[in-house]
């Protein structure tokens, strides 16, 4: 495994599977939120939220603040963070969302790119529980990534664990088999600095875990946020540990509070 450091330096970590059968047997490695068929929207083109939270027009209001994010969650963004993946859910009970990558230049946030995405099939919650099919609202660091496929940023980016053990179980519908080709762990109820598939849950199993950004196939997930493959590749190439990336995620109403 590689241990990520600041910026694009640090040794890369790579976990190579020893035997296909053994890896498949570990396929139920504690996906928890992602263990059931977890869909997402497949739209390779960049898009923008239609009005409201995350709309480009809001960028001009106050460039030192993220559009559509109220005081409660704005205050939770670490001062050192210069990259934010904002997930704007369409509604509390909706599985549809838009992901926007913002970068901070000086004191101002700038929109980088955006994509159509999906979240928990039942929407969002401020009190996530195991198997509730809702994504947790909040601000979380992004420190670790991995997947079945090779690291798109072998010379930098987030620490990346490559292993066939990420592969979705083959008893799932074939449409879901590539969901975890690329994943980025959301640091919700997990140990930072470990592979995304590490099963440790510091707050206990009842609080759920295994919340990831992962590949998208057209519908809601079990609690993760799913994006098109080009979006995941772009994030993996762009997110920089030295810029302390975080995800700000929730439905628009909660985020604006």
């Amino acid at each position: 495994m590689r241990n990520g450091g600041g910026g694009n330096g640090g040794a890369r970590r790579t976990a190579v599977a020893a035997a296909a059968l053994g890896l498949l047997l570990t396929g139920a490695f504690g996906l928890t939120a992602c263990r059931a068929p977890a869909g997402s929207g497949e739209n390779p083109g960049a898009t923008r939220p239609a009005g409201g939270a995350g709309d480009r027009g809001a960028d001009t209001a106050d460039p030192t603040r993220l559009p559509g994010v109220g005081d409660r969650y704005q205050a939770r963004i670490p001062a050192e963070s210069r990259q934010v993946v904002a997930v704007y859910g369409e509604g509390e009970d909706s599985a549809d969302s838009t992901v926007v990558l913002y970068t901070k230049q000086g004191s101002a946030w700038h929109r980088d790119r955006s994509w159509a995405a999906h979240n928990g099939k039942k929407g969002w919650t401020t009190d996530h529980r195991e198997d509730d099919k809702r994504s947790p609202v909040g601000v979380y660091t992004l420190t670790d990534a991995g997947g079945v496929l090779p690291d798109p940023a072998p010379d930098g980016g987030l620490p990346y664990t490559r292993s066939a053990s990420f592969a979705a179980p083959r008893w799932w519908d074939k449409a879901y088999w590539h969901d975890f080709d690329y994943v980025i762990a959301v640091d919700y109820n997990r140990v930072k600095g470990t592979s995304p598939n590490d099963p440790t849950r510091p707050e206990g199993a009842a609080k759920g875990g295994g919340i990831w950004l992962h590949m998208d196939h057209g519908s809601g997930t079990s609690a993760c946020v799913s994006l098109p493959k080009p979006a995941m590749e772009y994030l993996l190439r762009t997110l920089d540990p030295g810029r302390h990336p975080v995800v700000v995620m929730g439905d628009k109403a909660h985020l604006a509070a």
Side-chain angles (χ1 to χ4, degrees), residues 53-54 58-59 61-81 84 86 88 102 104 107-110 137-140 246-249 254-257:
D59 286 326
D62 183 352
T64 66
R65 296 174 60 89
L66 287 180
V69 179
D71 291 343
R72 178 187 304 176
Y73 294 107
Q74 198 85 40
R76 297 182 187 179
I77 300 172
E80 67 270 22
S81 292
V84 168
Y88 297 104
Y102 292 99
K104 197 170 191 180
S107 61
W109 290 104
H110 296 269
V137 177
V139 179
Y140 308 100
V246 300
V247 60
V248 179
M249 54 193 284
H254 274 110
L255 289 182

Side-chain angles (χ1 to χ4, degrees), residues 15-27 163-165:
V16 179
L21 177 59
L23 290 170
L24 288 175
L25 290 175
T26 60
S163 174
S165 66

Side-chain angles (χ1 to χ4, degrees), residues 99-206:
V99 171
V100 183
L101 175 62
Y102 292 99
T103 60
K104 197 170 191 180
Q105 301 172 21
S107 61
W109 290 104
H110 296 269
R111 177 191 294 269
D112 186 326
R113 297 193 184 187
S114 63
W115 305 271
H118 288 87
N119 49 266
K121 62 183 66 176
K122 291 187 177 180
W124 297 89
T125 180
T126 56
D127 185 23
H128 176 64
R129 297 290 170 173
E130 177 74 0
D131 291 330
D132 65 6
K133 311 304 181 188
R134 291 179 179 271
S135 298
V137 177
V139 179
Y140 308 100
T141 53
L142 300 172
T143 57
D144 302 280
V148 176
L149 297 180
D151 187 352
D155 298 320
L158 299 175
Y160 190 95
T161 300
R162 183 189 181 190
S163 174
S165 66
F166 281 98
R170 287 309 187 252
W171 59 84
W172 288 9
D173 187 281
K174 190 174 181 178
Y176 301 96
W177 286 4
H178 295 286
D179 279 10
F180 313 130
D181 282 357
Y182 293 125
V183 307
I184 297 172
V186 173
D187 291 336
Y188 169 89
N189 197 19
R190 69 177 300 269
V191 177
K192 299 179 186 179
T194 63
S195 170
N197 60 12
D198 182 272
T200 307
R201 304 287 178 259
E203 298 178 51

